[in-house]
Amino acid sequence: QVQLVESGGGLVQAGGSLRLSCVASGNIFRIAAMGWYRQAPGKQREWVADITSHNSINYADSVKGRFTISRDNAKNASYLEMNSLKFEDTGVYYCNADLAEQPLHPVWTYWGQGTQVTVSS
């Protein structure tokens, strides 16, 4: 079975930085793309950033210039470097991965359990 585990969340003051990690493990043949989402209290989950296997990267406007996504294909991992954090960045951050478990198998989206990021103002 495939499992995604996030780490690196915590409490930080506004203007500070955090680095989130996401590692996928289990039966993995190919990861097409990895991404990060977040969910603030009382709000819907929103997309933050994603990166393809060819390192094509996209960011939500709200984090552009402050967050940097990267991946390590050898480790089946993605990272989210978050700088100049704001109070409104508070939420649970989830990583996902679009991957195939076997050759010729379809690509499915898998999600981690999330890691809490709290930015104090």
Side-chain angles (χ1 to χ4, degrees), residues 34-57:
M34 302 187 79
W36 287 90
Y37 286 69
R38 66 187 180 186
Q39 187 166 17
K43 294 188 177 181
Q44 288 188 334
R45 189 175 298 188
E46 65 173 0
W47 167 75
V48 174
D50 57 43
I51 181 169
T52 70
S53 58
H54 302 292
N55 287 325
S56 176
I57 292 172

Side-chain angles (χ1 to χ4, degrees), residues 10-18 38 66-67 82 84-91 93 116-121:
L11 173 64
V12 64
Q13 287 189 333
S17 299
L18 283 174
R38 66 187 180 186
R66 300 187 298 121
F67 290 11
M82 306 185 295
S84 302
L85 282 162
K86 304 175 181 180
F87 175 75
E88 49 265 40
D89 293 318
T90 295
Y93 281 69
Q116 176 71 44
V117 171
T118 303
V119 183
S120 61
S121 57

